[in-house]
Amino acid sequence: MAEFKYAPELTHARFRSPDIVMNELDEASLFVSGVPFWQEQMFYTKGAGIMPWHEETDRACRRLNKHMKVLLLEIETALENKEKPNPSSVTDALGIFLSILFWSNHRPVQLNNLEEQIQTLEIKPLNLEERLLYCLERAHTFLGYTQLKELMLEQRKLIAKTE
């Protein structure tokens, strides 16, 4: 059993390597709960995967958006009930947003030097750097959730404009 460890390009304090067996995951999945950036992991470690940032990007982003809607509803429900949202749901939602952000720019997610990477993106919401930093630090709060939801909405609108 090989321990799962994110590729160096995907290392970030907010996204810890999950405790899973990599061989048990479906390589064709766009989204694997608990393992954000699954396709990037395949790309960076094996030079394989389906690479949705190259082909059918719009379709891949729409599929991720469906997962995001479910996660945001789960987080919102917890916050409305004055409960702390499930940490893995928050991490998955942040991961989906970053995937859609990078994929819509036809690039795989790259978390090392995230701020510099974001500056090079063409399709992105206004003031993304500050807003994303806030979300990464406080996504489990109502204000962090609201900011993430707004960033997602803005990115979807920007994607629609470029189609």
Side-chain angles (χ1 to χ4, degrees), residues 90-159:
V90 173
T91 300
D92 282 349
L94 288 166
I96 287 175
F97 172 72
L98 286 168
S99 292
I100 290 173
L101 176 68
F102 277 83
W103 293 1
S104 61
N105 281 277
H106 304 286
R107 293 173 45 190
V109 174
Q110 192 169 348
L111 298 177
N112 60 339
N113 302 317
L114 182 59
E115 290 181 30
E116 291 87 16
Q117 295 298 324
I118 286 174
Q119 290 174 3
T120 65
L121 299 176
E122 292 181 28
I123 303 169
K124 62 183 178 183
L126 290 173
N127 302 321
L128 175 63
E129 293 86 354
E130 300 85 17
R131 296 166 70 194
L132 181 59
L133 179 62
Y134 187 86
C135 289
L136 289 170
E137 292 175 357
R138 298 179 186 91
H140 62 282
T141 67
F142 184 75
L143 291 176
Y145 153 79
T146 304
Q147 189 64 252
L148 180 59
K149 187 175 176 181
E150 287 300 313
L151 284 171
M152 186 68 186
L153 178 63
E154 289 175 37
Q155 188 66 19
R156 284 185 26 231
K157 287 180 182 177
L158 290 169
I159 293 168

Side-chain angles (χ1 to χ4, degrees), residues 19-34:
D19 185 22
I20 57 156
V21 179
M22 193 163 164
N23 301 354
E24 296 176 358
L25 299 175
D26 180 9
E27 292 185 11
S29 294
L30 280 180
F31 171 73
V32 176
S33 182

Side-chain angles (χ1 to χ4, degrees), residues 1-131:
M1 177 169 99
E3 181 180 324
F4 183 95
K5 183 172 169 82
Y6 274 123
E9 296 87 351
L10 298 172
T11 53
H12 189 279
R14 183 64 175 91
F15 299 97
R16 292 188 172 81
S17 293
D19 185 22
I20 57 156
V21 179
M22 193 163 164
N23 301 354
E24 296 176 358
L25 299 175
D26 180 9
E27 292 185 11
S29 294
L30 280 180
F31 171 73
V32 176
S33 182
V35 189
F37 324 117
W38 172 239
Q39 285 302 320
E40 286 83 353
Q41 177 70 12
M42 298 295 299
F43 173 69
Y44 291 130
T45 59
K46 296 182 177 184
I50 58 174
M51 297 181 237
W53 51 90
H54 281 304
E55 295 180 22
E56 297 188 14
T57 303
D58 296 338
R59 183 171 175 245
C61 288
R62 283 193 303 273
R63 286 179 60 197
L64 283 184
N65 188 50
K66 289 180 183 179
H67 292 290
M68 182 65 135
K69 286 180 181 179
V70 172
L71 290 168
L72 289 176
L73 181 60
E74 181 184 323
I75 294 167
E76 182 178 16
T77 301
L79 291 169
E80 284 177 351
N81 292 329
K82 306 222 185 299
E83 298 170 357
K84 189 173 181 179
N86 182 335
S88 65
S89 296
V90 173
T91 300
D92 282 349
L94 288 166
I96 287 175
F97 172 72
L98 286 168
S99 292
I100 290 173
L101 176 68
F102 277 83
W103 293 1
S104 61
N105 281 277
H106 304 286
R107 293 173 45 190
V109 174
Q110 192 169 348
L111 298 177
N112 60 339
N113 302 317
L114 182 59
E115 290 181 30
E116 291 87 16
Q117 295 298 324
I118 286 174
Q119 290 174 3
T120 65
L121 299 176
E122 292 181 28
I123 303 169
K124 62 183 178 183
L126 290 173
N127 302 321
L128 175 63
E129 293 86 354
E130 300 85 17
R131 296 166 70 194

